[in-house]
Amino acid sequence: MTTQLKVRSELALTAEGVEALSALRNEPTWFLDLRQRGWRFYEEIPWPTGNEEEWRRTKLTGLDLADFRLPDSPVSGLRVASTAELPAHLQEELATVESAGQLVTQDGAVRYRWLDPALEAKGVIFTDLDTAIREYPELVQRYFMTDNVPVDANKFTALHAAFVTGGTVLYVPRNVQIELPLHGVTTMRGGLADFSHTLLIADAGAEVTYVDDLVSADQEASFHSGVVEIVAHPAAVVRYLHYQDWNVNTWHFSTQQAQMKRDAQLTWILSSWGSRLSKINLEMQLQERGGHGELLGLYFPSGRQHIDHHTLQNHIADHCTSDLLFKGALRGRSRSVYSGSIKVHPHAQKTDAYQKNDNLVLDKRARADSIPGLEIEADDVRCTHGATVSKIEPEYLFYLMARGLSRYQAEQLIVTGFFEEVLNRVPVEGVRRKLEHVIARKIIGG
Amino acid sequence: MPSELVIKDLRVKVADSDLEVLKGVNLTVRQGEIHALMGPNGSGKSTLAYAIMGHPHYEVTEGDILLDGESILELEPNERARKGLFLAFQYPVAVPGVSMSNFLRTAVSNIRGYTDKPAVGDKPGVIGSNLMPMKEFRAELLQKMDEFHVDRSFARRYLNEGFSGGEKKRVEILQMAMLQPKIAIMDETDSGLDIDALRIVADGVNKLAGPNLGILLITHYQRILNYVKPHFVHVFYNGRVVMSGGPELAATLEEKGYQWVKQQFDEPALVTA
Ligand SMILES: Nc1ncnc2c1ncn2[C@@H]1O[C@H](COP(=O)(O)OP(=O)(O)OP(=O)(O)O)[C@@H](O)[C@H]1O
Ligand SMILES: [Mg+2]
């Protein structure tokens, strides 16, 4: 089935576009207000000039929002009743994970949704944002871009608020533990701007794993400005696996923040493979005593890709631990930037925080920058950080080749071995396998 | 016809430098023969081993290395391995995050030709395409691990990472047993071993020795030659083979020490007025 989407001129990224979009979706006024607030901040906040520390190594040369338009919406005609009716690449993507629920979003609208009825009966909400605005307005009003990622966090979050479409709302009620992961796949076609949002709320004592995949539908340039908001209430256990594999012509901006309440546990895995340029901001907020957060990252730019991660382990409360490990390999003429900070507030005594970034540069013209940092205002804490940038050890290569491995096979083992420390800690077997495959693909520059 | 490794007037220097390490080496090793190569520290034994295997840090400036009459100088290390050469490293390398069984399965699959035909939709040589079947591989690996006294748990461990000196050497022998080379160069496989480990390694070598394997056993010590009986002994000094003989040469060397060699083969000291 092919459905031609009409291009509507009013769905440009403009003030009129904001209203047209909201009207098309029959949204309540409170949501239109939020969009308009987003637009105002977007206009107020200047474009980064490159003088800001955060933008010194990442330039937006070549980005013109006029190149992208909003998808005509709603795309209800594309909704299907079974995964078999989805395009092959989406079926494959879904098949990577054995899950208890699936949500496929294309061009900002739901194409497929399924949730294990047993979970539905327990009150688990797993739906798209548009449905949530209509059916669970209190939930959205309480959590959507309020005190987690504020609308005016940066220019891209403001733009996101103005044009947000699609996205996932996942709410797990108190003490409900979901064994299998839930799986979201977001895809878009070339020429479009995607503003999908992930809102993940685990109530007290709940447990959930969410696999959030972003993949392109074709090879043409597109634009994504996303926001991820996670709240782990007391003693909740959350695993969030974010996988970005857009085509290499796409612009990717993502602001993600997790709030962790008392004794909450979060495993947060971020992997960046695709995009022309990625600028990702992550903040883990340890707001109440006893929280434990694990933040793992993998990235592998090739060709002329540019991938920039900025992380903040924000220790507000005492007796919390955070453990960050970001590993990246680089091919071709690609570039990566990692900057990270551990911030320990005056009351956050007995903080135990760790931050490590390792880079493996495979080609002469690739370049990795790593800027770790600490900002500590409490005196009884343990904080460690470190960064490495290295090349493939020629002795490893020779040893493996002397045993009969081709150069490519040897590199593949060495690079996969380099990522192993992180791969080992990926809690979903299917995702782990998928990561191994994408690493193999990136080694040949794909 | 047995395979034959011929090293002819080989001169080798350290790449990107003027340091000549091998100064005209001549040596022939055939399948079925055990050669011991003995020489003092720094005489160039490991360099010879590396040059045979094609290490990129060393540059052949003159002479040739032939396997069954064909020069292998232009071949990559993996192509040399494929032709039946094996190097047991003096210092086996620990490769982080690479499991031994994963690595060895790929190596064995290449050497035995499984990967020659790529699986449908795969790139040639890509891991995952047409490897030796897992079950078959595992059965063979476990059997050989038992035979060569390597604990089965090592299959899942990362290659040489945290292995003791003796364990590394045993794992080198295990790899050799799995890859079944025609000619093996064993660079000080006996060094750094206690007497029990030495016996295990020597037993391993003896198990593998036979009409289908030629061995060049590089060593400092007579010790291993109490267990492994060489057919030929060569003395290596200052980048060359300076003496060759039968097993008795090793005994003479043990008795008289390298000083005896130095006196005979050192360039005459400059006489200063
Ligand atoms: N890559 C290199 N760069 C600089 N010098 C080198 C290099 N490789 C070898 N050499 C030098 O060449 C000489 C021979 O080294 P080699 O390791 O081959 O000796 P060896 O006979 O194996 O010694 P040992 O018995 O200690 O193992 C030494 O003086 C060594 O320092
Ligand atoms: Mg040596």
Side-chain angles (χ1 to χ4, degrees):
Chain A
M1 178 184 67
T2 56
T3 308
Q4 194 62 43
L5 294 189
K6 289 174 281 137
V7 181
R8 290 175 182 242
S9 54
E10 70 266 30
L11 289 183
L13 301 176
T14 58
E16 298 72 49
V18 173
E19 275 180 42
L21 179 71
S22 194
L24 248 170
R25 300 197 161 215
N26 279 322
E27 286 171 352
T29 5
W30 63 268
F31 207 80
L32 175 61
D33 289 347
L34 190 144
R35 288 190 187 281
Q36 287 175 329
R37 201 151 59 84
W39 179 256
R40 279 199 304 277
F41 279 124
Y42 169 73
E43 289 203 303
E44 253 172 60
I45 300 170
W47 284 100
T49 59
N51 292 329
E52 308 84 350
E53 179 55 32
E54 218 197 301
W55 290 96
R56 272 194 25 211
R57 295 170 184 83
T58 297
K59 304 280 180 264
L60 297 177
T61 320
L63 173 63
D64 184 355
L65 287 189
D67 294 344
F68 308 102
R69 62 187 164 75
L70 291 167
D72 200 350
S73 61
V75 207
S76 48
L78 291 176
R79 189 146 182 163
V80 297
S82 88
T83 53
E85 297 167 65
L86 291 169
H89 78 277
L90 294 178
Q91 289 187 40
E92 275 168 37
E93 199 62 45
L94 286 176
T96 54
V97 177
E98 191 199 351
S99 65
Q102 299 172 323
L103 184 64
V104 179
T105 308
Q106 181 181 329
D107 305 337
V110 180
R111 290 212 64 183
Y112 176 75
R113 176 190 172 271
W114 168 75
L115 177 65
D116 182 347
L119 297 178
E120 206 115 41
K122 285 181 184 166
V124 173
I125 297 170
F126 181 49
T127 190
D128 62 289
L129 180 64
D130 307 300
T131 307
I133 291 169
R134 273 180 280 113
E135 293 178 15
Y136 311 100
E138 328 72 47
L139 188 73
V140 178
Q141 278 169 325
R142 174 166 172 201
Y143 289 108
F144 185 87
M145 300 195 85
T146 52
D147 62 342
N148 207 345
V149 176
V151 170
D152 60 348
N154 58 53
K155 192 158 181 85
F156 293 98
T157 56
L159 187 66
H160 175 89
F163 293 108
V164 60
T165 46
T168 307
V169 175
L170 169 56
Y171 169 77
V172 187
R174 191 173 270 267
N175 294 330
V176 171
Q177 282 144 20
I178 310 179
E179 210 166 297
L180 284 177
L182 300 175
H183 191 186
V185 177
T186 299
T187 188
M188 71 168 144
R189 292 166 310 146
L192 295 182
D194 175 84
F195 298 92
S196 50
H197 191 102
T198 298
L199 186 60
L200 195 173
I201 313 297
D203 220 326
E207 179 167 347
V208 64
T209 303
Y210 184 46
V211 177
D212 203 358
D213 292 346
L214 306 175
V215 292
S216 293
D218 56 36
Q219 289 307 310
E220 267 178 71
S222 49
F223 174 90
H224 169 85
S225 178
V227 169
V228 174
E229 297 181 284
I230 299 170
V231 182
H233 282 288
V237 177
V238 176
R239 301 177 200 93
Y240 176 66
L241 294 84
H242 180 99
Y243 172 90
Q244 181 274 107
D245 195 18
W246 302 123
N247 68 42
V248 295
N249 301 311
T250 291
W251 300 86
H252 177 77
F253 301 91
S254 184
T255 300
Q256 310 190 6
Q257 187 163 304
Q259 296 183 334
M260 298 169 62
K261 310 294 180 185
R262 189 167 174 131
D263 298 326
Q265 290 180 46
L266 172 65
T267 300
W268 188 353
I269 302 178
L270 189 103
S271 70
S272 303
W273 314 102
S275 82
R276 164 184 177 157
L277 176 143
S278 282
K279 177 85 180 99
I280 301 144
N281 280 292
L282 304 177
E283 180 173 343
M284 179 182 274
Q285 278 185 0
L286 297 126
Q287 297 180 323
E288 293 175 14
R289 169 186 279 220
H292 174 64
E294 189 180 14
L295 185 43
L296 303 171
L298 306 96
Y299 50 92
F300 197 159
S302 54
R304 288 177 171 272
Q305 287 180 277
H306 181 116
I307 294 184
D308 179 334
H309 292 103
H310 175 76
T311 64
L312 174 60
Q313 290 151 270
N314 197 354
H315 283 260
I316 298 162
D318 59 301
H319 288 90
C320 291
T321 59
S322 69
D323 183 357
L324 177 144
L325 177 61
F326 264 60
K327 294 200 116 181
L330 295 94
R331 249 294 176 241
R333 306 178 67 167
S334 66
R335 183 124 192 234
S336 74
V337 180
Y338 170 81
S339 62
S341 178
I342 297 175
K343 183 167 177 157
V344 182
H345 292 252
H347 297 297
Q349 301 296 2
K350 302 285 180 196
T351 286
D352 189 343
Y354 180 79
Q355 181 199 84
K356 180 116 202 285
N357 173 232
D358 294 322
N359 296 279
L360 185 61
V361 180
L362 303 180
D363 292 303
K364 274 198 200 71
R365 295 164 92 173
R367 175 170 163 186
D369 286 308
S370 186
I371 309 110
L374 296 176
E375 197 183 322
I376 299 176
E377 295 171 32
D379 48 23
D380 186 11
V381 301
R382 202 172 75 184
C383 293
T384 337
H385 69 162
T388 65
V389 177
S390 53
K391 289 186 273 200
I392 283 198
E393 195 58 61
E395 294 307 322
Y396 296 171
L397 208 54
F398 176 67
Y399 185 80
L400 299 179
M401 287 179 76
R403 295 289 190 256
L405 270 65
S406 68
R407 184 174 299 272
Y408 170 68
Q409 288 174 328
E411 282 188 354
Q412 186 178 336
L413 281 185
I414 293 167
V415 175
T416 311
F418 166 79
F419 282 115
E420 184 74 9
E421 234 184 319
V422 179
L423 292 174
N424 261 340
R425 290 162 70 179
V426 173
V428 181
E429 183 52 32
V431 172
R432 191 201 142 107
R433 244 178 291 126
K434 186 163 73 170
L435 295 176
E436 281 172 4
H437 277 118
V438 72
I439 289 167
R441 187 192 84 204
K442 295 299 292 191
I443 290 169
I444 49 173
Chain B
M1 224 184 51
S3 266
E4 184 183 69
L5 176 72
V6 176
I7 295 155
K8 245 174 50 189
D9 303 321
L10 189 71
R11 287 183 173 266
V12 168
K13 71 177 194 72
V14 174
D16 307 319
S17 108
D18 293 331
L19 182 69
E20 183 169 66
V21 183
L22 302 185
K23 301 165 181 171
V25 179
N26 285 288
L27 191 66
T28 296
V29 180
R30 294 184 188 84
Q31 254 178 325
E33 299 174 350
I34 300 178
H35 293 246
L37 185 78
M38 305 181 75
N41 290 130
S43 56
K45 305 180 298 295
S46 293
T47 302
L48 175 63
Y50 281 144
I52 295 171
M53 218 56 221
H55 196 298
H57 282 178
Y58 301 97
E59 191 184 318
V60 173
T61 52
E62 268 181 64
D64 210 344
I65 306 174
L66 305 148
L67 187 63
D68 299 330
E70 279 180 47
S71 174
I72 58 167
L73 290 184
E74 296 304 316
L75 300 183
E76 291 275 5
N78 55 318
E79 296 168 311
R80 300 183 195 205
R82 182 70 197 271
K83 287 198 178 296
L85 292 180
F86 180 88
L87 169 61
F89 282 59
Q90 179 173 3
Y91 304 109
V93 178
V95 190
V98 174
S99 86
M100 186 169 68
S101 95
N102 201 358
F103 146 73
L104 204 50
R105 182 166 167 230
T106 313
V108 168
S109 301
N110 279 3
I111 299 283
R112 298 190 192 171
Y114 283 94
T115 45
D116 290 354
K117 278 187 248 121
V120 182
D122 259 350
K123 298 226 178 322
V126 170
I127 294 175
S129 66
N130 283 9
L131 293 184
M132 178 177 179
M134 193 55 173
K135 255 181 98 176
E136 237 175 89
F137 170 76
R138 274 202 74 77
E140 185 178 334
L141 179 65
L142 292 178
Q143 180 257 316
K144 293 229 158 81
M145 290 182 103
D146 295 346
E147 190 179 344
F148 292 91
H149 303 276
V150 175
D151 193 275
R152 288 183 170 206
S153 66
F154 277 57
R156 263 189 276 135
R157 284 181 61 178
Y158 298 142
L159 190 59
N160 292 324
E161 218 169 49
F163 292 14
S164 77
E167 287 164 350
K168 281 185 192 165
K169 299 295 171 93
R170 261 181 280 162
V171 167
E172 292 287 289
I173 305 267
L174 170 70
Q175 293 184 41
M176 182 168 150
M178 291 295 291
L179 295 171
Q180 300 163 344
K182 293 177 184 156
I183 309 278
I185 301 124
M186 309 189 70
D187 191 359
E188 297 200 27
T189 306
D190 58 330
S191 290
L193 300 183
D194 63 31
I195 191 72
D196 292 339
L198 180 70
R199 200 169 285 148
I200 291 173
V201 165
D203 282 350
V205 175
N206 284 328
K207 269 187 198 148
L208 294 171
N212 295 322
L213 177 63
I215 296 177
L216 180 63
L217 191 70
I218 298 174
T219 181
H220 282 294
Y221 309 106
Q222 168 71 26
R223 214 166 59 132
I224 190 163
L225 303 181
N226 296 330
Y227 302 98
V228 178
K229 294 287 166 220
H231 304 105
F232 306 93
V233 174
H234 309 275
V235 178
F236 205 76
Y237 183 64
N238 194 18
R240 280 180 304 138
V241 174
V242 293
M243 283 188 234
S244 293
E248 72 291 343
L249 182 55
T252 314
L253 198 61
E254 176 82 354
E255 187 190 314
K256 299 192 173 171
Y258 287 121
Q259 207 49 41
W260 170 65
V261 180
K262 284 186 187 165
Q263 279 160 12
Q264 293 179 67
F265 295 97
D266 257 346
E267 266 108 76
L270 284 175
V271 183
T272 42

